[in-house]
Amino acid sequence: EKAFFIKFIQVLDRLGFKYKVRESGDIVIYSWLLEDLVKNMCGSGSRNKKLPDFWPKLSLEQLAILLKAYFAGDGGVECNSVNFTTASKILASDLQYALFRYDIWARCHKRFKRATNSDHKGDFYYMLSVSGQEDLIKFRKEIGFFLDRKNLSLSKIVGREFNTNVDLIPGAGNVILKIRAKYGLFQKDIA
């Protein structure tokens, strides 16, 4: 990560971009040219963000770099999953399809969130989550994060025991419970 960071800063210096490095390690680049390019390719405003139209044509290696960039900013590891939060329904959908190119299943939930660092009253956001050991292992191997601290957090949750509650079918719990009770089966037997 450090070598990549140093090279990236050198490229910014050579191109003459003004930038700031935050305490978190994030780099803020001040450039109207870069801003216009990103707006044109990826949408303008938080509700209109999307992956660039050419993303399906990228190789898996190229797509991984693009996904790392998205997950570096708005993604992270929480509890037992990799999460990504966005106000854009289109971006959430694009990311689900992109992850599926690696056979990674991401769930999407619409949630109300309130910002803790501003007076924003809150709004509904889309939260993608990658959970389950098989998907987490694939995510770590094929995509991962640009930031070492996020990769370290991911490594800590990879290899844990499988959670049998991950793939529940809504409304089917009572039926399955009756069948289990009738035949004296445990949840792990059914799983």
Side-chain angles (χ1 to χ4, degrees), residues 40-41 50-57:
N40 286 328
M41 287 192 323
K50 64 184 180 88
L51 289 181
D53 293 335
F54 59 79
W55 79 262
K57 296 176 183 172

Side-chain angles (χ1 to χ4, degrees), residues 121-145:
K121 295 188 187 313
D123 207 340
F124 284 95
Y125 294 87
Y126 298 91
M127 184 174 148
L128 259 61
S129 61
V130 176
S131 59
Q133 288 298 307
E134 289 181 32
D135 289 324
L136 290 171
I137 290 167
K138 288 176 194 172
F139 184 89
R140 182 176 69 172
K141 179 182 176 197
E142 301 292 336
I143 302 165
F145 295 101

Side-chain angles (χ1 to χ4, degrees), residues 61-138:
E61 294 81 18
Q62 292 167 329
L63 181 58
I65 294 168
L66 180 64
L67 293 176
K68 277 180 200 252
Y70 273 92
F71 279 91
D74 293 326
V77 178
E78 295 175 26
C79 296
N80 295 319
S81 62
V82 171
N83 296 319
F84 181 89
T85 304
T86 179
S88 171
K89 186 176 183 177
I90 297 166
L91 179 58
S93 177
D94 284 352
L95 289 171
Q96 279 185 290
Y97 281 112
L99 289 169
F100 200 62
R101 283 192 53 195
Y102 301 91
D103 290 326
I104 296 172
W105 182 254
R107 289 167 179 79
C108 186
H109 306 280
K110 190 174 181 180
R111 294 217 174 124
F112 185 83
K113 289 187 77 171
R114 187 170 284 126
T116 56
N117 59 351
S118 74
D119 292 335
H120 189 270
K121 295 188 187 313
D123 207 340
F124 284 95
Y125 294 87
Y126 298 91
M127 184 174 148
L128 259 61
S129 61
V130 176
S131 59
Q133 288 298 307
E134 289 181 32
D135 289 324
L136 290 171
I137 290 167
K138 288 176 194 172

Side-chain angles (χ1 to χ4, degrees), residues 2-190:
K2 198 169 197 168
F4 174 80
F5 181 83
I6 291 168
K7 282 191 182 264
F8 190 75
I9 294 297
Q10 289 172 346
V11 169
L12 291 176
D13 287 337
R14 284 185 193 153
L15 293 174
F17 286 120
K18 293 181 182 180
Y19 61 89
K20 171 182 158 185
V21 180
R22 293 183 176 162
E23 286 183 33
S24 64
D26 292 345
I27 301 171
V28 178
I29 303 170
Y30 304 102
S31 165
W32 64 267
L33 178 63
L34 189 58
E35 181 183 349
D36 283 351
L37 179 66
V38 171
K39 279 183 182 179
N40 286 328
M41 287 192 323
C42 303
S44 177
S46 62
R47 299 229 169 258
N48 299 315
K49 286 183 182 177
K50 64 184 180 88
L51 289 181
D53 293 335
F54 59 79
W55 79 262
K57 296 176 183 172
L58 296 175
S59 70
L60 290 177
E61 294 81 18
Q62 292 167 329
L63 181 58
I65 294 168
L66 180 64
L67 293 176
K68 277 180 200 252
Y70 273 92
F71 279 91
D74 293 326
V77 178
E78 295 175 26
C79 296
N80 295 319
S81 62
V82 171
N83 296 319
F84 181 89
T85 304
T86 179
S88 171
K89 186 176 183 177
I90 297 166
L91 179 58
S93 177
D94 284 352
L95 289 171
Q96 279 185 290
Y97 281 112
L99 289 169
F100 200 62
R101 283 192 53 195
Y102 301 91
D103 290 326
I104 296 172
W105 182 254
R107 289 167 179 79
C108 186
H109 306 280
K110 190 174 181 180
R111 294 217 174 124
F112 185 83
K113 289 187 77 171
R114 187 170 284 126
T116 56
N117 59 351
S118 74
D119 292 335
H120 189 270
K121 295 188 187 313
D123 207 340
F124 284 95
Y125 294 87
Y126 298 91
M127 184 174 148
L128 259 61
S129 61
V130 176
S131 59
Q133 288 298 307
E134 289 181 32
D135 289 324
L136 290 171
I137 290 167
K138 288 176 194 172
F139 184 89
R140 182 176 69 172
K141 179 182 176 197
E142 301 292 336
I143 302 165
F145 295 101
F146 279 130
L147 302 173
D148 285 341
R149 64 182 166 81
K150 290 186 180 185
N151 283 320
L152 180 62
S153 296
L154 177 57
S155 292
K156 288 179 181 177
I157 65 169
V158 169
R160 290 186 180 171
E161 275 190 37
F162 285 86
N163 181 351
T164 57
N165 291 327
V166 171
D167 294 319
L168 295 179
I169 301 170
N174 291 333
V175 174
I176 293 172
L177 182 62
K178 287 178 186 176
I179 293 170
R180 283 184 28 226
K182 181 178 179 179
Y183 294 102
L185 299 170
F186 294 101
Q187 186 177 0
K188 67 180 180 180
D189 297 326
I190 301 295

